[in-house]
Amino acid sequence: MRLRCAVLDDFQRVATEVADWSPVADDVEVVGFDTHIDDEDALAQALAGFDIVVTLRERVPFPGSLIARLPRLKLLVASGMRNSVIDYAAAEAHGVTVCGTASSSTPPVELTWALLLGLARGIVEESNALRSGGPWQSTVGADLHGRRLGLLGLGKIGSRVARIGLAFGMHVSAWSQNLTKEYADEVGVALAASKEDLLSDSDFVSVHLALSDRTRALLGPAELALLKPTAYLVNTSRAAIVDQDALLAALHAGRIAGAGVDVFDLEPLPADHPMRTAPRLLATPHLGYVSQANYRTYYGQAVENIQAYLAGSPLRLLP
């Protein structure tokens, strides 16, 4: 009897198009879910008849309580090689193998600049006005050349964002709790003396930190108050790094020029969520990782992981 594989959060219905699933077609029936299920009871019911689950990033938690309710589950494949919402001990206890895939940092770098440029030049507002017969030129764009880009985090993604900023002729500085002057010098950026100095000095601030106990709510009301009224904030990392209520208050009060956000406290974002109608906000539905190349990697390696599991030699084991 063929095994059944659920592919979660296949919103665009492309999981079976961007990768070749034929190597497992004889052994596995693939079923895509194009809507998100965020209730554990509903998820347990939906997945009860599946032996394999492919889950996208960290969108769906797999705590021990859920894994215990899925007796048929034998293989869980997560995109990326780091996933903080899977209970690995519970998976092992219930005989569930957990595998990951590679993931490129290029798409979030590119989306960061799409948001930053969109904010700086009023792209959405001007395009909407042009298409709807609105005013011809209603904004005056913010320059990048000669302005300061402040990066919270200078890791794999932050360092690439930095180099693009330098190519635009921006002054780039960075800060994180573990960042050294030696590494900042290697990337070619200035090491900010403190988080507070970076926030108050920058014209554009972009967040590129991993979420942890140290970075949760790193930017709260006091920190956002340090930003210039002409400054823009971009967050393509994790929503919880920026206090969402404080950000909404700053946007509504006009205390900053604008924000570009790709990550939210609830995803998918509820229809009545205040982020959907906030002023001065350019928002995208967590598109940082969503690109053709990344999806080919995610689903192509998911197929490889399933093949390897069926052959008795699992690949890319997590954690």
Side-chain angles (χ1 to χ4, degrees), residues 102-170:
S103 183
S104 171
S105 62
T106 298
V109 171
E110 294 173 350
L111 184 72
T112 296
W113 279 102
L115 290 172
L116 195 151
L117 289 165
L119 285 168
R121 300 305 296 269
I123 297 298
V124 174
E125 181 179 352
E126 294 287 5
S127 176
N128 287 344
L130 185 147
R131 293 169 63 87
S132 64
W136 183 265
Q137 296 185 0
S138 60
T139 64
V140 178
D143 296 288
L144 270 59
H145 189 276
R147 307 292 291 280
R148 181 161 297 279
L149 171 63
L151 301 175
L152 289 167
L154 197 64
K156 186 164 55 173
I157 294 175
S159 60
R160 296 180 67 179
V161 171
R163 293 184 177 101
I164 295 170
L166 293 170
F168 273 115
M170 303 183 79

Side-chain angles (χ1 to χ4, degrees), residues 115-116 119-120 142-143 147-150 170 197-206 219 223-234 247 250-251 254-260 279-281:
L115 290 172
L116 195 151
L119 285 168
D143 296 288
R147 307 292 291 280
R148 181 161 297 279
L149 171 63
M170 303 183 79
D197 283 349
L198 181 135
L199 294 172
S200 60
D201 290 346
S202 298
D203 301 294
F204 299 86
V205 174
S206 191
L219 299 187
E223 289 78 16
L224 293 178
L226 296 173
L227 292 170
K228 301 175 184 179
T230 55
Y232 296 90
L233 174 68
V234 176
L247 176 58
L251 292 170
R255 291 197 297 270
I256 60 175
R280 303 176 181 85
L281 178 67

Side-chain angles (χ1 to χ4, degrees), residues 11 44 57 77 79 83 122 135 143 152 156 214 243 246 255 259 286:
F11 300 123
R57 305 297 293 166
V77 180
S79 58
N83 193 303
D143 296 288
L152 289 167
K156 186 164 55 173
R214 295 195 305 174
D243 184 311
R255 291 197 297 270
H286 206 154

Side-chain angles (χ1 to χ4, degrees), residues 7-312:
V7 179
L8 299 181
D9 294 328
D10 184 17
F11 300 123
Q12 302 93 344
R13 304 179 186 178
V14 296
T16 56
E17 297 177 7
V18 297
D20 179 12
W21 290 74
S22 63
V24 297
D26 290 341
D27 300 305
V28 179
E29 174 194 0
V30 180
V31 179
F33 288 76
D34 60 6
T35 57
H36 181 69
I37 305 173
D38 59 6
D39 177 77
E40 184 173 314
D41 290 338
L43 196 59
Q45 183 176 356
L47 299 181
F50 289 92
D51 311 276
I52 303 167
V53 172
V54 177
T55 183
L56 193 61
R57 305 297 293 166
E58 296 173 319
R59 193 170 304 283
V60 178
F62 277 83
S65 56
L66 174 60
I67 293 172
R69 298 169 69 180
L70 302 175
R72 279 187 58 171
L73 182 62
K74 296 303 178 187
L75 175 64
L76 178 60
V77 180
S79 58
M81 289 301 293
R82 181 174 61 185
N83 193 303
S84 63
V85 299
I86 296 173
D87 186 332
Y88 295 105
E92 183 178 6
H94 288 85
V96 178
T97 300
V98 184
C99 300
T101 74
S103 183
S104 171
S105 62
T106 298
V109 171
E110 294 173 350
L111 184 72
T112 296
W113 279 102
L115 290 172
L116 195 151
L117 289 165
L119 285 168
R121 300 305 296 269
I123 297 298
V124 174
E125 181 179 352
E126 294 287 5
S127 176
N128 287 344
L130 185 147
R131 293 169 63 87
S132 64
W136 183 265
Q137 296 185 0
S138 60
T139 64
V140 178
D143 296 288
L144 270 59
H145 189 276
R147 307 292 291 280
R148 181 161 297 279
L149 171 63
L151 301 175
L152 289 167
L154 197 64
K156 186 164 55 173
I157 294 175
S159 60
R160 296 180 67 179
V161 171
R163 293 184 177 101
I164 295 170
L166 293 170
F168 273 115
M170 303 183 79
H171 305 294
V172 183
S173 55
W175 177 90
S176 71
Q177 291 165 319
N178 296 323
L179 181 60
T180 65
K181 185 178 186 303
E182 290 74 19
Y183 184 68
D185 288 344
E186 182 181 329
V187 177
V189 307
L191 174 64
S194 66
K195 173 184 63 177
E196 290 73 18
D197 283 349
L198 181 135
L199 294 172
S200 60
D201 290 346
S202 298
D203 301 294
F204 299 86
V205 174
S206 191
V207 180
H208 302 288
L209 295 165
L211 181 61
S212 68
D213 290 340
R214 295 195 305 174
T215 62
R216 189 177 297 276
L218 186 71
L219 299 187
E223 289 78 16
L224 293 178
L226 296 173
L227 292 170
K228 301 175 184 179
T230 55
Y232 296 90
L233 174 68
V234 176
N235 186 10
T236 58
S237 182
R238 289 292 184 270
I241 296 172
V242 181
D243 184 311
Q244 301 293 282
D245 291 337
L247 176 58
L248 282 167
L251 292 170
H252 280 283
R255 291 197 297 270
I256 60 175
V261 174
D262 186 49
V263 287
F264 305 92
D265 54 356
L266 293 173
E267 295 185 9
L269 206 59
D272 60 350
H273 195 286
M275 278 288 186
R276 287 188 179 266
T277 54
R280 303 176 181 85
L281 178 67
L282 176 56
T284 49
H286 206 154
L287 298 178
Y289 61 88
V290 181
S291 77
Q292 294 177 10
N294 242 5
Y295 269 33
R296 283 194 295 268
T297 298
Y298 290 166
Y299 295 116
Q301 292 191 2
V303 174
E304 293 175 0
N305 288 343
I306 293 170
Q307 277 187 285
Y309 173 81
L310 294 177

